[in-house]
Amino acid sequence: MTAQDALNRSYEIRTYGCQMNVHDSERLSGLLEDAGYVRAPEGADGDADVVVFNTCAVRENADNKLYGNLGRLAPMKTRRPGMQIAVGGCLAQKDRDTIVRRAPWVDVVFGTHNIGKLPVLLERSRIEGEAQVEIAESLEAFPSTLPTRRESAYAAWVSISVGCNNTCTFCIVPALRGKEKDRRPGDILAEIEALVDEGVSEITLLGQNVNAYGSDIGDREAFSKLLRACGKIEGLERVRFTSPHPRDFTDDVIAAMAETPNVMPQLHMPMQSGSDTVLKAMRRSYRQERFLGIIDKVRAAIPHAAISTDIIVGFPGETEEDFQQTMHAVREARFAQAFTFQYSKRPGTPAATMEGQVPKEVVQERYMRLSALQEEISWAENKTQVGRTVDVMVAEGEGRKDGATHRLSGRAPDSRLVHFTKPDTEVRPGDVVTVEITYAAPHHLLAEGPAVAVRRTRSGDAWEKRNTAAAAKPAGVMLGLPGIGAPEQAAAGGCGCD
């Protein structure tokens, strides 16, 4: 489709699942805007010319949720001639023709390997008057070569690899994303440098198994070298990465984290279970002792590191003794935060047909016990922050009550969420405010006193420029500028596959 054909046609993207999908949606936005579409206003709720579902396949009811949402759009599409609906992502890669059979009003189905085809498929469907289903079996082009509509003026995802070589029995991602494929280090660093030139000051390196980076290019220390290279980029203030696998978490990575000043003292590393028996059934290549040993090494090298994790409760065959091993590991690790999931069958995975499926009521009861323990630990760990002075990078959208409380919110270097009193001077998202922590809750910190210092940054300038440009747009053109904020933590919507 030419830009002229798509001029003023609005689009809306609904994203489900992990950080990979979030970043893919930025690319889908970039592709559509490059083709002349404009983003629908916030809260359009289907009232757009094109609605794109970027789906996830790792939950048991993922397909029910998709078809329920598609069903709600069907009458709207009937009333609105020319409206188009597209479905992409992992569920599209898995179900293919099934989607059009169950929802014949869908116009386009595309997979994880060919997201770059979306504008062409929309135009082909419009001209031919029939659904276009195109699923590639392997990656056509590394996604980072596609246009990208970044959701933040100051923080950005940067993909370093796609796919995964692991065979975890609960995870369908390798079947849908393919084997790991690494980008060349020079391409990654060039993208980061270009983002910094645009005003970005925080980047999150992204991969399905991020610290396995290098296996495809034959360099086992490639990831630690990449972290150190990021440390040499002038203007890049914060570097994060998600999500690593304990199997590949080597001493050179810990050293690079500790010795590279702009690599943040934060680590999200999925444990999944504390039971050696369950880890074996999951085909996780480490055991509890190895995992806790990594935690000890990280804390020895980076004493103030905030460590978070993912845990699955109720995996097939999990006994009360196995669960108690998980509780023990949580007490030993003292995670700042843990994203806990009740096991649900992922269709197409080995675990879905395993014997010993744990009754739902047992899973729920264990989940509640684990959540209560982690809440207690998170609160205790956050209380150790009271009295500390931290640099908070201001975010937009992190504090839902900021307007009522006259506060601002942002992330400390260790990624803890901090709500703080609004300074007298103007502060923009991307700027850095130094505050003293006065109160701790289980999931956030408060700084109720006056700011110690305020630093205006290039990122704040970039945010201001973006918003000034949006305000200057003539009436009637829907820019639909996205909210500004740091990328969410992977585990918050993660697929638990790392």
Side-chain angles (χ1 to χ4, degrees):
M1 176 181 280
T2 66
Q4 187 61 39
D5 292 330
L7 189 62
N8 288 336
R9 293 199 79 207
S10 60
Y11 75 90
E12 174 193 354
I13 297 178
R14 301 185 186 184
T15 308
Y16 304 91
C18 68
Q19 65 276 10
M20 282 289 187
N21 276 15
V22 173
H23 193 25
D24 280 349
S25 288
E26 291 186 326
R27 296 184 181 111
L28 292 171
S29 293
L31 285 160
L32 291 172
E33 293 189 15
D34 207 42
Y37 293 85
V38 292
R39 189 164 181 166
E42 200 71 31
D45 195 24
D47 189 20
D49 297 306
V50 173
V51 179
V52 183
F53 291 87
N54 190 7
T55 64
C56 171
V58 301
R59 292 285 177 261
E60 188 174 16
N61 65 347
D63 54 347
N64 293 332
K65 179 180 288 188
L66 171 66
Y67 293 116
N69 287 324
L70 290 175
R72 283 188 283 275
L73 285 185
M76 191 176 299
K77 191 167 189 278
T78 301
R79 295 192 303 266
R80 185 170 182 163
M83 179 182 178
Q84 292 183 293
I85 300 172
V87 179
C90 289
L91 194 62
Q93 186 77 23
K94 182 172 78 74
D95 285 358
R96 307 178 183 226
D97 296 322
T98 304
I99 293 172
V100 174
R101 284 203 305 271
R102 291 185 61 176
W105 54 93
V106 169
D107 299 279
V108 170
V109 178
F110 62 100
T112 57
H113 297 309
N114 64 332
I115 64 175
K117 290 288 187 66
L118 176 60
V120 171
L121 294 172
L122 287 169
E123 176 65 355
R124 191 186 301 162
S125 175
R126 186 179 70 84
I127 292 172
E128 297 181 5
E130 61 182 27
Q132 301 295 310
V133 179
E134 188 170 307
I135 305 292
E137 297 302 328
S138 59
L139 197 65
E140 294 185 345
F142 203 92
S144 291
T145 63
L146 302 172
T148 302
R149 175 63 161 106
R150 299 281 178 178
E151 291 294 307
S152 170
Y154 72 88
W157 302 108
V158 175
S159 286
I160 67 172
S161 64
V162 293
C164 181
N165 295 335
N166 293 320
T167 58
C168 300
T169 54
F170 56 80
C171 182
I172 198 170
V173 168
L176 303 179
R177 292 277 181 178
K179 293 292 186 181
E180 181 176 326
K181 185 173 179 59
D182 296 335
R183 292 177 71 191
R184 292 175 53 216
D187 293 341
I188 297 168
L189 295 171
E191 181 182 355
I192 295 172
E193 289 169 352
L195 287 167
V196 171
D197 287 344
E198 294 170 7
V200 168
S201 57
E202 176 178 311
I203 61 104
T204 301
L205 302 175
L206 187 60
Q208 215 73 55
N209 181 6
V210 70
N211 61 323
Y213 176 75
S215 62
D216 183 48
I217 57 179
D219 184 353
R220 291 187 60 83
E221 294 190 355
F223 185 63
S224 62
K225 291 174 183 175
L226 182 61
L227 290 178
R228 292 183 186 276
C230 286
K232 298 176 182 177
I233 298 176
E234 187 175 351
L236 180 58
E237 298 188 15
R238 296 185 173 193
V239 177
R240 306 185 191 278
F241 57 88
T242 194
S243 289
H245 192 294
R247 182 195 67 187
D248 303 297
F249 211 87
T250 48
D251 290 348
D252 60 298
V253 173
I254 297 173
M257 290 177 66
E259 296 165 11
T260 309
N262 62 357
V263 174
M264 294 295 95
Q266 175 227 345
L267 173 64
H268 179 81
M269 187 164 62
M271 180 177 73
Q272 305 302 7
S273 175
S275 161
D276 289 355
T277 301
V278 173
L279 288 170
K280 183 178 180 180
M282 289 178 168
R283 285 195 207 138
R284 304 288 283 182
S285 53
Y286 55 90
R287 299 296 177 258
Q288 183 191 112
E289 184 178 4
R290 158 79 171 146
F291 185 92
L292 294 177
I294 294 171
I295 300 298
D296 289 343
K297 286 183 178 181
V298 171
R299 289 218 167 99
I302 315 166
H304 294 302
I307 301 173
S308 56
T309 196
D310 293 342
I311 301 173
I312 297 172
V313 178
F315 188 80
E318 181 188 78
T319 64
E320 177 63 23
E321 183 180 352
D322 293 323
F323 176 69
Q324 287 301 327
Q325 284 298 307
T326 294
M327 296 282 275
H328 169 75
V330 168
R331 292 187 188 98
E332 290 294 310
R334 299 199 65 78
F335 299 112
Q337 193 173 15
F339 299 95
T340 54
F341 303 90
Q342 296 184 47
Y343 173 77
S344 62
K345 293 181 180 180
R346 275 82 160 171
T349 63
T353 56
M354 282 182 176
E355 294 182 358
Q357 300 286 327
V358 182
K360 184 172 180 57
E361 61 273 16
V362 175
V363 177
Q364 173 70 18
E365 191 272 337
R366 289 175 184 169
Y367 173 82
M368 296 301 293
R369 276 191 280 160
L370 177 59
S371 296
L373 173 62
Q374 183 55 51
E375 186 93 350
E376 177 186 319
I377 292 171
S378 293
W379 199 356
E381 289 299 304
N382 275 359
K383 285 177 181 177
T384 67
Q385 304 298 303
V386 174
R388 290 191 64 199
T389 299
V390 298
D391 292 334
V392 179
M393 186 173 286
V394 184
E396 187 170 79
E398 291 273 24
R400 289 172 294 177
K401 299 179 181 178
D402 283 353
T405 58
H406 304 290
R407 292 176 179 143
L408 295 176
S409 300
R411 296 280 171 178
D414 63 9
S415 200
R416 283 184 165 95
L417 177 62
V418 180
H419 305 300
F420 58 94
T421 302
K422 191 173 183 179
D424 294 332
T425 56
E426 180 191 9
V427 178
R428 308 157 303 177
D431 289 338
V432 175
V433 179
T434 305
V435 299
E436 182 180 333
I437 304 302
T438 58
Y439 176 81
H443 303 293
H444 68 267
L445 303 172
L446 288 182
E448 299 162 299
V452 176
V454 174
R455 177 165 63 87
R456 291 170 69 86
T457 65
R458 293 183 313 104
S459 292
D461 294 342
W463 179 90
E464 187 172 352
K465 181 179 178 181
R466 177 186 277 194
N467 282 265
T468 300
K473 287 284 181 181
V477 176
M478 293 182 294
L479 181 65
L481 206 65
I484 308 302
E488 287 186 35
Q489 292 301 297
C495 54
C497 57
D498 301 297

